[in-house]
Amino acid sequence: MSLTDSARRAGTPAARHRRVSRRMTPWITLQAPPARVVHLLAVLALVAVWRISLATTELAGMDDLGLVSVLSPAFFLAVVGLAASFAAALRPKAPDRLVLAAHIIALFLVISSTAPVLEGLPRLEASFRHIGITEHLQRGASIDPTIDAYFNWPGFFALFALVTGAGAADDLIALATWAPLGFAVLMLPALLLIGRALTTDVRVRWLGVALFYAANWSGQDYFSPQAFALLLYVYVAALLLSAFRGPVRIPILHRITDRPGWQEDGEHRPATGAQGVVLMATVVLILLTTVYSHQLTPYAAVFALSALVLVGRCRARLLPVLLAVATSGWLLFFALTFLVGHVDLVVGGVGDVSGSAAANVTGRLTGSVQHQIVVAARLLLAAAVWLLALLGAWTLVRSRRSPAAATVLGFAPFLLLGLQSYGGEAAVRVYLLGLPWVAFLAAVALAGVRDRALPAGRTALVGVVVAALALGTVFTRHGNERAESFTAGDVAAAQRMYDIAPRGSVLMAASQNTAWRFEEYNEYDYRTLVHAEPGVTADPPTVEELLEAADRAAGRRAFLLVTSSQLAAADLYGTVPATSLTQVVQEAERQGLLVPVYSNGDAVLFELREEAE
Amino acid sequence: MRTERDQWLDVALIGAATLGAALAVLGGPQLLRTPIIGLLLLAGPGLALARAVGLHDALLTTVVAIGGSLSVATGIATVQLYAEAWRPELAVLLVATMTVGLCLVSLSRRRAPADEQEVTRA
């Protein structure tokens, strides 16, 4: 702009009005705070209410409904308030992105951090195992694929062994405790990129992100390879949708996916030249990282990317082929030890969809009545989100926008059910792997496709659905909390066990829901009396079985750890009555076979005697 | 002005990568090691790569930075473990070297148009 232009503009009535307005701004601000400040203060206040509500929560009274049985009304008020405030912020035609971002951060903070704040320890027995493997590798141990399946896909553990080995973190237990929050934060840029690639409607983008966090009840975001692999997979999909989407005309199929008059929504920024090469190289690098980091995710990625290519929404047509070759190659060359010992596990369930569905749905409806309510609520929540997503796809079709990309990515993981039941966990993974796109489609269903402010009814609907999903997620995610959480006493007892048990000893737990193996992962012989898991029932153990598990013939010292978390798991999942576990321990103690060597309020550590007294 | 600011970002990234490598190899207070080495492993080489090819999209840059860097760090650590050559400090050094190298590419790319402009003015 030239100086003459500036002088001319400065003299116009409009410019004078702008100067006057700027001078008046502070007074106006004082009299009527802008909506942004009001919203941000509301978010801060609601987060404060949430945090204060946790300070008065006592975990001791928890029943089989999980965490909701002890949370105070203020907690629920904070969640509902956040949902209502978010819906109000979403209403204008051009909503304030900073305000929406603040709400979403608050939402995932509440959902991901409630358990870490209350319990101060990682949830799930697997978290402690993963800590132990990381610690094992960090000490410079070589990859021994015969130890267990984890050592055949070691990427995640290698990364965190590097993080701790290089001194970036010195407390793996703290790292694992806050892992859900870390994964939630890292997921945000990829979710926003996906939203931007799929729609130009800012409200749908942010609502999709909010629904992802609000509906993520699976609890798979703990310190685990699957959480890491999911993150990488979502990053790959975000890059592909943003820079390599197409559309590409696929013979015959394009008649279904590219109907006349349909338009492709979203901001597509095709990558070409050097940028295209580098972005594709990054996509390949990230995909290959999933191959050696987790068993299941690469297969889901093969299905989803193949589907994306088939509907003409991925220019990198050979990518699924490359991934399939890499995944098979890893299985045959680096995971051969696992494959040889588990051929039936890997291929035995192929095509058995009904068996897989039974293991994933009806097979899990066992245990205490309250636990069955939790499982039923999970199924209901998943079905509701999938139904909303289908409505969203239909809304797109009716507005002549192509739903192809989001629909195939959201529903392609269902093909995993035809591969294997994955120990009854495949359905959870199907839900989680499709959730970013299912949440987007659900957002379309709720916000609709419109170029004006949301009507009051729609705004209320958004608030109600976000609140219901967030509360449902808190309920279902932490529904097994009695069996999935641990106390400082549990960890102290395990620590004491490692202090006194010589390497090579037999370490036993009443059930596998035990906070152990977080150190000396491969230096002991770990055994459990009962496998307390969803859908598993067993006969009550006997003293003879206890002695057999201790493997006395080998002449090693043996220890038995009994904790309140183990007993809760046995009861909650209905595997055996907890009293049968305490009875066998008491009987062995009466016979002089077990001697208590350590105890606290939550756990007792016994050592097995050489001979009965 | 924009070019100068961009150059400062590259210089800052080079400084952080060098400091991270030094902390990993020589040691240092945990208060420094956690953020510097942690961020280097989380986003260092990926961010440098995004800048080296001139990505100006903040969201895309963030995804490339994190996804690329985590993959690089995971790859190096896994190769070291399989090769029975576990040296975490060396892995960080390698990550830092990649970051610095890519930043130098980025700096040279940005300098080239500036030099051309000066020639035109002269």
Side-chain angles (χ1 to χ4, degrees), chain A residues 133-159:
Chain A
I133 296 165
T134 307
E135 192 260 353
H136 177 77
L137 293 179
Q138 192 259 312
R139 282 189 279 118
S142 59
I143 303 271
D144 178 359
T146 62
I147 296 176
D148 58 33
Y150 292 122
F151 289 83
N152 293 266
W153 287 271
F156 167 79
F157 304 107
L159 173 67

Side-chain angles (χ1 to χ4, degrees), chain A residues 286-488:
Chain A
I286 301 174
L287 268 182
L288 292 181
T289 308
T290 64
V291 168
Y292 60 88
S293 295
H294 190 233
Q295 303 98 309
L296 192 67
T297 307
Y299 293 99
V302 169
F303 290 143
L305 298 186
S306 301
L308 204 58
V309 167
L310 285 175
V311 297
R313 295 302 183 278
C314 178
R315 282 196 281 132
R317 296 194 210 184
L318 288 178
L319 204 59
V321 179
L322 172 75
L323 181 59
V325 169
T327 306
S328 313
W330 186 268
L331 191 63
L332 289 173
F333 292 104
F334 289 90
L336 191 62
T337 313
F338 175 82
L339 185 63
V340 167
H342 304 85
V343 173
D344 190 49
L345 187 70
V346 175
V347 297
V350 175
D352 184 14
V353 179
S354 59
S356 182
N360 279 277
V361 183
T362 49
R364 298 180 85 82
L365 278 166
T366 56
S368 69
V369 174
Q370 288 178 324
H371 173 64
Q372 289 186 41
I373 291 172
V374 173
V375 177
R378 284 178 180 167
L379 295 173
L380 201 65
L381 206 58
V385 174
W386 279 325
L387 194 65
L388 265 180
L390 290 175
L391 273 175
W394 177 241
T395 307
L396 286 175
V397 169
R398 285 191 63 191
S399 62
R400 305 179 79 80
R401 287 168 168 81
S402 170
T407 308
V408 296
L409 287 171
F411 291 95
F414 270 94
L415 294 169
L416 284 175
L417 290 175
L419 209 59
Q420 58 166 286
S421 70
Y422 208 64
E425 282 195 7
V428 176
R429 308 299 168 91
V430 166
Y431 179 78
L432 186 58
L433 286 159
L435 189 56
W437 299 278
V438 165
F440 164 77
L441 290 170
V444 173
L446 288 173
V449 179
R450 54 171 53 81
D451 194 25
R452 55 193 165 83
L454 278 184
R458 283 272 181 170
T459 309
L461 181 68
V462 167
V464 168
V465 171
V466 172
L469 287 178
L471 291 173
T473 289
V474 171
F475 172 49
T476 52
R477 184 184 174 96
H478 299 293
N480 296 344
E481 207 64 9
R482 277 187 71 215
E484 292 180 342
S485 62
F486 301 100
T487 62

Side-chain angles (χ1 to χ4, degrees), chain A residues 75-96:
Chain A
F75 176 92
F76 302 106
L77 182 74
V79 174
V80 171
L82 271 176
S85 177
F86 175 74
L90 204 67
R91 193 177 183 198
K93 184 183 164 191
D96 187 333

